[in-house]
PDB file of all heavy atoms in Angstrom:
ATOM      1  N   CYS A   9    -190.211 -24.196 110.494  1.00 92.00           N
ATOM      2  CA  CYS A   9    -190.909 -25.371 110.003  1.00 92.00           C
ATOM      3  C   CYS A   9    -191.438 -26.219 111.173  1.00 92.00           C
ATOM      4  O   CYS A   9    -192.443 -26.949 111.028  1.00 92.00           O
ATOM      5  CB  CYS A   9    -189.985 -26.241 109.155  1.00 92.00           C
ATOM      6  SG  CYS A   9    -189.572 -25.528 107.559  1.00 92.00           S
ATOM      7  N   ASP A  10    -190.809 -26.138 112.336  1.00 92.00           N
ATOM      8  CA  ASP A  10    -191.208 -26.897 113.514  1.00 92.00           C
ATOM      9  C   ASP A  10    -192.148 -26.144 114.444  1.00 92.00           C
ATOM     10  O   ASP A  10    -192.524 -26.641 115.497  1.00 92.00           O
ATOM     11  CB  ASP A  10    -189.991 -27.352 114.284  1.00 92.00           C
ATOM     12  CG  ASP A  10    -189.108 -28.250 113.473  1.00 92.00           C
ATOM     13  OD1 ASP A  10    -189.642 -29.021 112.656  1.00 92.00           O
ATOM     14  OD2 ASP A  10    -187.873 -28.176 113.629  1.00 92.00           O
ATOM     15  N   PHE A  11    -192.555 -24.895 114.054  1.00 89.00           N
ATOM     16  CA  PHE A  11    -193.359 -24.068 114.912  1.00 89.00           C
ATOM     17  C   PHE A  11    -194.676 -24.787 115.242  1.00 89.00           C
ATOM     18  O   PHE A  11    -195.367 -25.295 114.350  1.00 89.00           O
ATOM     19  CB  PHE A  11    -193.669 -22.729 114.246  1.00 89.00           C
ATOM     20  CG  PHE A  11    -194.382 -21.762 115.089  1.00 89.00           C
ATOM     21  CD1 PHE A  11    -193.726 -20.991 116.009  1.00 89.00           C
ATOM     22  CD2 PHE A  11    -195.776 -21.633 114.981  1.00 89.00           C
ATOM     23  CE1 PHE A  11    -194.356 -20.097 116.827  1.00 89.00           C
ATOM     24  CE2 PHE A  11    -196.453 -20.738 115.801  1.00 89.00           C
ATOM     25  CZ  PHE A  11    -195.780 -19.981 116.724  1.00 89.00           C
ATOM     26  N   ASN A  12    -194.969 -24.893 116.561  1.00 91.00           N
ATOM     27  CA  ASN A  12    -196.165 -25.576 117.010  1.00 91.00           C
ATOM     28  C   ASN A  12    -196.270 -27.005 116.432  1.00 91.00           C
ATOM     29  O   ASN A  12    -197.287 -27.407 115.925  1.00 91.00           O
ATOM     30  CB  ASN A  12    -197.414 -24.765 116.673  1.00 91.00           C
ATOM     31  CG  ASN A  12    -198.661 -25.198 117.424  1.00 91.00           C
ATOM     32  OD1 ASN A  12    -198.555 -25.859 118.465  1.00 91.00           O
ATOM     33  ND2 ASN A  12    -199.816 -24.881 116.878  1.00 91.00           N
ATOM     34  N   ASN A  13    -195.128 -27.723 116.544  1.00 92.00           N
ATOM     35  CA  ASN A  13    -195.072 -29.103 116.035  1.00 92.00           C
ATOM     36  C   ASN A  13    -195.390 -29.233 114.569  1.00 92.00           C
ATOM     37  O   ASN A  13    -195.974 -30.229 114.115  1.00 92.00           O
ATOM     38  CB  ASN A  13    -195.949 -30.032 116.880  1.00 92.00           C
ATOM     39  CG  ASN A  13    -195.511 -30.111 118.309  1.00 92.00           C
ATOM     40  OD1 ASN A  13    -194.302 -30.233 118.565  1.00 92.00           O
ATOM     41  ND2 ASN A  13    -196.425 -30.058 119.227  1.00 92.00           N
ATOM     42  N   GLY A  14    -195.020 -28.194 113.787  1.00 91.00           N
ATOM     43  CA  GLY A  14    -195.226 -28.214 112.351  1.00 91.00           C
ATOM     44  C   GLY A  14    -196.630 -27.806 111.894  1.00 91.00           C
ATOM     45  O   GLY A  14    -196.906 -27.784 110.679  1.00 91.00           O
ATOM     46  N   LYS A  15    -197.516 -27.497 112.822  1.00 93.00           N
ATOM     47  CA  LYS A  15    -198.881 -27.126 112.471  1.00 93.00           C
ATOM     48  C   LYS A  15    -199.077 -25.649 112.229  1.00 93.00           C
ATOM     49  O   LYS A  15    -200.074 -25.207 111.662  1.00 93.00           O
ATOM     50  CB  LYS A  15    -199.880 -27.581 113.575  1.00 93.00           C
ATOM     51  CG  LYS A  15    -199.936 -29.099 113.760  1.00 93.00           C
ATOM     52  CD  LYS A  15    -200.910 -29.470 114.835  1.00 93.00           C
ATOM     53  CE  LYS A  15    -200.170 -29.318 116.154  1.00 93.00           C
ATOM     54  NZ  LYS A  15    -200.892 -29.861 117.284  1.00 93.00           N
ATOM     55  N   GLY A  16    -198.124 -24.833 112.683  1.00 92.00           N
ATOM     56  CA  GLY A  16    -198.239 -23.386 112.557  1.00 92.00           C
ATOM     57  C   GLY A  16    -199.054 -22.789 113.649  1.00 92.00           C
ATOM     58  O   GLY A  16    -199.490 -23.445 114.594  1.00 92.00           O
ATOM     59  N   GLY A  17    -199.341 -21.490 113.513  1.00 93.00           N
ATOM     60  CA  GLY A  17    -200.138 -20.778 114.489  1.00 93.00           C
ATOM     61  C   GLY A  17    -199.661 -19.349 114.575  1.00 93.00           C
ATOM     62  O   GLY A  17    -198.835 -18.890 113.826  1.00 93.00           O
ATOM     63  N   ILE A  18    -200.231 -18.593 115.576  1.00 94.00           N
ATOM     64  CA  ILE A  18    -199.818 -17.225 115.718  1.00 94.00           C
ATOM     65  C   ILE A  18    -198.388 -17.169 116.211  1.00 94.00           C
ATOM     66  O   ILE A  18    -198.079 -17.760 117.288  1.00 94.00           O
ATOM     67  CB  ILE A  18    -200.764 -16.479 116.682  1.00 94.00           C
ATOM     68  CG1 ILE A  18    -202.182 -16.399 116.040  1.00 94.00           C
ATOM     69  CG2 ILE A  18    -200.227 -15.062 116.965  1.00 94.00           C
ATOM     70  CD1 ILE A  18    -203.219 -15.813 116.919  1.00 94.00           C
ATOM     71  N   ALA A  19    -197.535 -16.500 115.494  1.00 93.00           N
ATOM     72  CA  ALA A  19    -196.122 -16.497 115.805  1.00 93.00           C
ATOM     73  C   ALA A  19    -195.645 -15.249 116.531  1.00 93.00           C
ATOM     74  O   ALA A  19    -194.811 -15.362 117.423  1.00 93.00           O
ATOM     75  CB  ALA A  19    -195.310 -16.636 114.490  1.00 93.00           C
ATOM     76  N   HIS A  20    -196.151 -14.099 116.144  1.00 95.00           N
ATOM     77  CA  HIS A  20    -195.683 -12.853 116.760  1.00 95.00           C
ATOM     78  C   HIS A  20    -196.646 -11.730 116.536  1.00 95.00           C
ATOM     79  O   HIS A  20    -197.549 -11.846 115.695  1.00 95.00           O
ATOM     80  CB  HIS A  20    -194.297 -12.473 116.200  1.00 95.00           C
ATOM     81  CG  HIS A  20    -194.312 -12.122 114.735  1.00 95.00           C
ATOM     82  ND1 HIS A  20    -194.097 -13.031 113.737  1.00 95.00           N
ATOM     83  CD2 HIS A  20    -194.561 -10.950 114.091  1.00 95.00           C
ATOM     84  CE1 HIS A  20    -194.188 -12.439 112.549  1.00 95.00           C
ATOM     85  NE2 HIS A  20    -194.472 -11.166 112.761  1.00 95.00           N
ATOM     86  N   ILE A  21    -196.459 -10.656 117.319  1.00 95.00           N
ATOM     87  CA  ILE A  21    -197.074  -9.386 117.025  1.00 95.00           C
ATOM     88  C   ILE A  21    -195.979  -8.438 116.634  1.00 95.00           C
ATOM     89  O   ILE A  21    -194.870  -8.529 117.124  1.00 95.00           O
ATOM     90  CB  ILE A  21    -197.948  -8.862 118.219  1.00 95.00           C
ATOM     91  CG1 ILE A  21    -197.071  -8.628 119.432  1.00 95.00           C
ATOM     92  CG2 ILE A  21    -199.069  -9.804 118.502  1.00 95.00           C
ATOM     93  CD1 ILE A  21    -197.797  -7.885 120.561  1.00 95.00           C
ATOM     94  N   ALA A  22    -196.316  -7.487 115.764  1.00 95.00           N
ATOM     95  CA  ALA A  22    -195.318  -6.555 115.280  1.00 95.00           C
ATOM     96  C   ALA A  22    -195.732  -5.117 115.514  1.00 95.00           C
ATOM     97  O   ALA A  22    -196.901  -4.764 115.287  1.00 95.00           O
ATOM     98  CB  ALA A  22    -195.062  -6.785 113.765  1.00 95.00           C
ATOM     99  N   PHE A  23    -194.815  -4.332 116.005  1.00 95.00           N
ATOM    100  CA  PHE A  23    -195.055  -2.933 116.225  1.00 95.00           C
ATOM    101  C   PHE A  23    -194.231  -2.098 115.220  1.00 95.00           C
ATOM    102  O   PHE A  23    -193.066  -2.415 114.959  1.00 95.00           O
ATOM    103  CB  PHE A  23    -194.666  -2.511 117.647  1.00 95.00           C
ATOM    104  CG  PHE A  23    -195.563  -3.098 118.675  1.00 95.00           C
ATOM    105  CD1 PHE A  23    -195.124  -4.119 119.478  1.00 95.00           C
ATOM    106  CD2 PHE A  23    -196.854  -2.615 118.866  1.00 95.00           C
ATOM    107  CE1 PHE A  23    -195.939  -4.650 120.477  1.00 95.00           C
ATOM    108  CE2 PHE A  23    -197.689  -3.140 119.823  1.00 95.00           C
ATOM    109  CZ  PHE A  23    -197.244  -4.154 120.641  1.00 95.00           C
ATOM    110  N   GLU A  24    -194.815  -1.019 114.727  1.00 93.00           N
ATOM    111  CA  GLU A  24    -194.132  -0.108 113.832  1.00 93.00           C
ATOM    112  C   GLU A  24    -193.353   0.892 114.695  1.00 93.00           C
ATOM    113  O   GLU A  24    -193.893   1.460 115.651  1.00 93.00           O
ATOM    114  CB  GLU A  24    -195.136   0.631 112.957  1.00 93.00           C
ATOM    115  CG  GLU A  24    -194.481   1.491 111.920  1.00 93.00           C
ATOM    116  CD  GLU A  24    -195.465   2.077 110.945  1.00 93.00           C
ATOM    117  OE1 GLU A  24    -196.601   1.616 110.868  1.00 93.00           O
ATOM    118  OE2 GLU A  24    -195.097   3.001 110.219  1.00 93.00           O
ATOM    119  N   VAL A  25    -192.080   1.068 114.329  1.00 94.00           N
ATOM    120  CA  VAL A  25    -191.230   2.044 115.025  1.00 94.00           C
ATOM    121  C   VAL A  25    -190.522   2.885 114.019  1.00 94.00           C
ATOM    122  O   VAL A  25    -190.378   2.541 112.839  1.00 94.00           O
ATOM    123  CB  VAL A  25    -190.213   1.336 115.975  1.00 94.00           C
ATOM    124  CG1 VAL A  25    -190.910   0.558 117.055  1.00 94.00           C
ATOM    125  CG2 VAL A  25    -189.272   0.425 115.180  1.00 94.00           C
ATOM    126  N   GLU A  26    -190.005   4.040 114.455  1.00 93.00           N
ATOM    127  CA  GLU A  26    -189.281   4.926 113.578  1.00 93.00           C
ATOM    128  C   GLU A  26    -187.839   4.422 113.313  1.00 93.00           C
ATOM    129  O   GLU A  26    -187.283   4.670 112.266  1.00 93.00           O
ATOM    130  CB  GLU A  26    -189.250   6.341 114.114  1.00 93.00           C
ATOM    131  CG  GLU A  26    -190.580   7.041 114.025  1.00 93.00           C
ATOM    132  CD  GLU A  26    -190.506   8.493 114.474  1.00 93.00           C
ATOM    133  OE1 GLU A  26    -189.418   9.091 114.404  1.00 93.00           O
ATOM    134  OE2 GLU A  26    -191.566   9.010 114.851  1.00 93.00           O
ATOM    135  N   ASP A  27    -187.265   3.731 114.300  1.00 94.00           N
ATOM    136  CA  ASP A  27    -185.827   3.368 114.202  1.00 94.00           C
ATOM    137  C   ASP A  27    -185.625   2.025 114.926  1.00 94.00           C
ATOM    138  O   ASP A  27    -185.518   1.985 116.148  1.00 94.00           O
ATOM    139  CB  ASP A  27    -185.008   4.474 114.840  1.00 94.00           C
ATOM    140  CG  ASP A  27    -183.495   4.276 114.662  1.00 94.00           C
ATOM    141  OD1 ASP A  27    -183.048   3.116 114.450  1.00 94.00           O
ATOM    142  OD2 ASP A  27    -182.760   5.244 114.778  1.00 94.00           O
ATOM    143  N   VAL A  28    -185.552   0.963 114.164  1.00 95.00           N
ATOM    144  CA  VAL A  28    -185.353  -0.384 114.715  1.00 95.00           C
ATOM    145  C   VAL A  28    -184.051  -0.483 115.494  1.00 95.00           C
ATOM    146  O   VAL A  28    -184.011  -1.124 116.558  1.00 95.00           O
ATOM    147  CB  VAL A  28    -185.425  -1.479 113.609  1.00 95.00           C
ATOM    148  CG1 VAL A  28    -185.037  -2.801 114.134  1.00 95.00           C
ATOM    149  CG2 VAL A  28    -186.827  -1.530 113.021  1.00 95.00           C
ATOM    150  N   GLU A  29    -182.998   0.084 114.981  1.00 95.00           N
ATOM    151  CA  GLU A  29    -181.708   0.023 115.668  1.00 95.00           C
ATOM    152  C   GLU A  29    -181.761   0.721 117.036  1.00 95.00           C
ATOM    153  O   GLU A  29    -181.176   0.255 118.021  1.00 95.00           O
ATOM    154  CB  GLU A  29    -180.602   0.586 114.812  1.00 95.00           C
ATOM    155  CG  GLU A  29    -180.185  -0.345 113.696  1.00 95.00           C
ATOM    156  CD  GLU A  29    -179.716  -1.701 114.227  1.00 95.00           C
ATOM    157  OE1 GLU A  29    -178.744  -1.747 115.015  1.00 95.00           O
ATOM    158  OE2 GLU A  29    -180.317  -2.732 113.864  1.00 95.00           O
ATOM    159  N   LYS A  30    -182.432   1.861 117.125  1.00 94.00           N
ATOM    160  CA  LYS A  30    -182.618   2.559 118.390  1.00 94.00           C
ATOM    161  C   LYS A  30    -183.356   1.676 119.377  1.00 94.00           C
ATOM    162  O   LYS A  30    -182.974   1.572 120.567  1.00 94.00           O
ATOM    163  CB  LYS A  30    -183.325   3.867 118.190  1.00 94.00           C
ATOM    164  CG  LYS A  30    -183.570   4.658 119.424  1.00 94.00           C
ATOM    165  CD  LYS A  30    -184.317   5.942 119.139  1.00 94.00           C
ATOM    166  CE  LYS A  30    -184.659   6.662 120.403  1.00 94.00           C
ATOM    167  NZ  LYS A  30    -185.504   7.852 120.194  1.00 94.00           N
ATOM    168  N   VAL A  31    -184.402   1.019 118.950  1.00 95.00           N
ATOM    169  CA  VAL A  31    -185.187   0.104 119.815  1.00 95.00           C
ATOM    170  C   VAL A  31    -184.279  -1.051 120.266  1.00 95.00           C
ATOM    171  O   VAL A  31    -184.309  -1.403 121.458  1.00 95.00           O
ATOM    172  CB  VAL A  31    -186.442  -0.381 119.095  1.00 95.00           C
ATOM    173  CG1 VAL A  31    -187.114  -1.506 119.851  1.00 95.00           C
ATOM    174  CG2 VAL A  31    -187.427   0.753 118.844  1.00 95.00           C
ATOM    175  N   ARG A  32    -183.508  -1.612 119.329  1.00 95.00           N
ATOM    176  CA  ARG A  32    -182.598  -2.714 119.701  1.00 95.00           C
ATOM    177  C   ARG A  32    -181.659  -2.264 120.820  1.00 95.00           C
ATOM    178  O   ARG A  32    -181.454  -2.966 121.831  1.00 95.00           O
ATOM    179  CB  ARG A  32    -181.789  -3.199 118.493  1.00 95.00           C
ATOM    180  CG  ARG A  32    -180.802  -4.351 118.838  1.00 95.00           C
ATOM    181  CD  ARG A  32    -179.907  -4.674 117.660  1.00 95.00           C
ATOM    182  NE  ARG A  32    -179.061  -3.548 117.232  1.00 95.00           N
ATOM    183  CZ  ARG A  32    -177.976  -3.117 117.866  1.00 95.00           C
ATOM    184  NH1 ARG A  32    -177.562  -3.704 118.973  1.00 95.00           N
ATOM    185  NH2 ARG A  32    -177.290  -2.092 117.398  1.00 95.00           N
ATOM    186  N   LYS A  33    -181.048  -1.080 120.659  1.00 95.00           N
ATOM    187  CA  LYS A  33    -180.103  -0.606 121.655  1.00 95.00           C
ATOM    188  C   LYS A  33    -180.773  -0.350 123.007  1.00 95.00           C
ATOM    189  O   LYS A  33    -180.196  -0.692 124.045  1.00 95.00           O
ATOM    190  CB  LYS A  33    -179.439   0.693 121.150  1.00 95.00           C
ATOM    191  CG  LYS A  33    -178.477   0.453 120.018  1.00 95.00           C
ATOM    192  CD  LYS A  33    -177.929   1.745 119.465  1.00 95.00           C
ATOM    193  CE  LYS A  33    -177.107   1.482 118.209  1.00 95.00           C
ATOM    194  NZ  LYS A  33    -176.723   2.708 117.503  1.00 95.00           N
ATOM    195  N   GLU A  34    -181.997   0.185 122.989  1.00 94.00           N
ATOM    196  CA  GLU A  34    -182.721   0.391 124.244  1.00 94.00           C
ATOM    197  C   GLU A  34    -182.954  -0.902 124.986  1.00 94.00           C
ATOM    198  O   GLU A  34    -182.779  -0.983 126.193  1.00 94.00           O
ATOM    199  CB  GLU A  34    -184.064   1.110 123.958  1.00 94.00           C
ATOM    200  CG  GLU A  34    -183.888   2.558 123.583  1.00 94.00           C
ATOM    201  CD  GLU A  34    -185.203   3.222 123.196  1.00 94.00           C
ATOM    202  OE1 GLU A  34    -186.301   2.603 123.369  1.00 94.00           O
ATOM    203  OE2 GLU A  34    -185.158   4.391 122.738  1.00 94.00           O
ATOM    204  N   PHE A  35    -183.385  -1.932 124.272  1.00 95.00           N
ATOM    205  CA  PHE A  35    -183.648  -3.226 124.904  1.00 95.00           C
ATOM    206  C   PHE A  35    -182.331  -3.868 125.423  1.00 95.00           C
ATOM    207  O   PHE A  35    -182.260  -4.433 126.497  1.00 95.00           O
ATOM    208  CB  PHE A  35    -184.428  -4.191 124.019  1.00 95.00           C
ATOM    209  CG  PHE A  35    -185.893  -3.901 124.056  1.00 95.00           C
ATOM    210  CD1 PHE A  35    -186.537  -3.344 122.944  1.00 95.00           C
ATOM    211  CD2 PHE A  35    -186.652  -4.224 125.173  1.00 95.00           C
ATOM    212  CE1 PHE A  35    -187.896  -3.062 122.978  1.00 95.00           C
ATOM    213  CE2 PHE A  35    -188.013  -3.967 125.202  1.00 95.00           C
ATOM    214  CZ  PHE A  35    -188.628  -3.374 124.110  1.00 95.00           C
ATOM    215  N   GLU A  36    -181.295  -3.793 124.593  1.00 95.00           N
ATOM    216  CA  GLU A  36    -180.024  -4.378 124.977  1.00 95.00           C
ATOM    217  C   GLU A  36    -179.440  -3.671 126.188  1.00 95.00           C
ATOM    218  O   GLU A  36    -178.831  -4.310 127.053  1.00 95.00           O
ATOM    219  CB  GLU A  36    -179.046  -4.394 123.805  1.00 95.00           C
ATOM    220  CG  GLU A  36    -179.422  -5.449 122.743  1.00 95.00           C
ATOM    221  CD  GLU A  36    -178.522  -5.471 121.551  1.00 95.00           C
ATOM    222  OE1 GLU A  36    -177.695  -4.551 121.376  1.00 95.00           O
ATOM    223  OE2 GLU A  36    -178.673  -6.422 120.772  1.00 95.00           O
ATOM    224  N   GLU A  37    -179.648  -2.369 126.307  1.00 95.00           N
ATOM    225  CA  GLU A  37    -179.157  -1.638 127.477  1.00 95.00           C
ATOM    226  C   GLU A  37    -179.892  -2.087 128.746  1.00 95.00           C
ATOM    227  O   GLU A  37    -179.362  -1.952 129.858  1.00 95.00           O
ATOM    228  CB  GLU A  37    -179.347  -0.142 127.295  1.00 95.00           C
ATOM    229  CG  GLU A  37    -178.373   0.486 126.326  1.00 95.00           C
ATOM    230  CD  GLU A  37    -178.691   1.935 125.954  1.00 95.00           C
ATOM    231  OE1 GLU A  37    -179.669   2.503 126.482  1.00 95.00           O
ATOM    232  OE2 GLU A  37    -177.949   2.490 125.104  1.00 95.00           O
ATOM    233  N   LYS A  38    -181.070  -2.631 128.612  1.00 95.00           N
ATOM    234  CA  LYS A  38    -181.854  -3.181 129.747  1.00 95.00           C
ATOM    235  C   LYS A  38    -181.542  -4.664 129.944  1.00 95.00           C
ATOM    236  O   LYS A  38    -182.205  -5.308 130.777  1.00 95.00           O
ATOM    237  CB  LYS A  38    -183.346  -2.977 129.481  1.00 95.00           C
ATOM    238  CG  LYS A  38    -183.779  -1.571 129.403  1.00 95.00           C
ATOM    239  CD  LYS A  38    -185.229  -1.476 129.009  1.00 95.00           C
ATOM    240  CE  LYS A  38    -185.657  -0.028 128.828  1.00 95.00           C
ATOM    241  NZ  LYS A  38    -187.044   0.075 128.361  1.00 95.00           N
ATOM    242  N   GLY A  39    -180.557  -5.218 129.221  1.00 96.00           N
ATOM    243  CA  GLY A  39    -180.178  -6.605 129.379  1.00 96.00           C
ATOM    244  C   GLY A  39    -181.090  -7.600 128.614  1.00 96.00           C
ATOM    245  O   GLY A  39    -181.062  -8.780 128.894  1.00 96.00           O
ATOM    246  N   MET A  40    -181.867  -7.083 127.679  1.00 96.00           N
ATOM    247  CA  MET A  40    -182.780  -7.967 126.902  1.00 96.00           C
ATOM    248  C   MET A  40    -182.248  -8.089 125.480  1.00 96.00           C
ATOM    249  O   MET A  40    -181.927  -7.117 124.842  1.00 96.00           O
ATOM    250  CB  MET A  40    -184.205  -7.350 126.858  1.00 96.00           C
ATOM    251  CG  MET A  40    -184.859  -7.347 128.222  1.00 96.00           C
ATOM    252  SD  MET A  40    -186.507  -6.725 128.170  1.00 96.00           S
ATOM    253  CE  MET A  40    -186.272  -5.122 128.908  1.00 96.00           C
ATOM    254  N   GLY A  41    -182.140  -9.353 125.031  1.00 92.00           N
ATOM    255  CA  GLY A  41    -181.563  -9.599 123.719  1.00 92.00           C
ATOM    256  C   GLY A  41    -182.545  -9.652 122.590  1.00 92.00           C
ATOM    257  O   GLY A  41    -183.695 -10.032 122.742  1.00 92.00           O
ATOM    258  N   MET A  42    -182.038  -9.235 121.433  1.00 96.00           N
ATOM    259  CA  MET A  42    -182.819  -9.304 120.187  1.00 96.00           C
ATOM    260  C   MET A  42    -182.416 -10.554 119.425  1.00 96.00           C
ATOM    261  O   MET A  42    -181.335 -11.114 119.626  1.00 96.00           O
ATOM    262  CB  MET A  42    -182.570  -8.045 119.360  1.00 96.00           C
ATOM    263  CG  MET A  42    -182.899  -6.749 120.102  1.00 96.00           C
ATOM    264  SD  MET A  42    -184.643  -6.529 120.456  1.00 96.00           S
ATOM    265  CE  MET A  42    -185.218  -5.874 118.910  1.00 96.00           C
TER     266      MET A  42
END
């Protein structure tokens, strides 16, 4: 509700993957959090 001071806007880009959990584990192994 507070995104861009309540005005909204572009929030994210989304990529299609075969396995979201596999992607999560790959990023977490690199020290990047989901």
Side-chain angles (χ1 to χ4, degrees):
C9 289
D10 297 326
F11 185 82
N12 194 21
N13 295 317
K15 295 180 279 189
I18 295 175
H20 66 268
I21 59 170
F23 292 107
E24 185 172 346
V25 298
E26 288 185 24
D27 186 338
V28 170
E29 284 301 301
K30 180 180 173 187
V31 170
R32 179 187 60 78
K33 289 175 187 172
E34 288 176 6
F35 278 108
E36 287 179 349
E37 286 171 2
K38 296 175 184 176
M40 293 183 254
M42 302 294 276

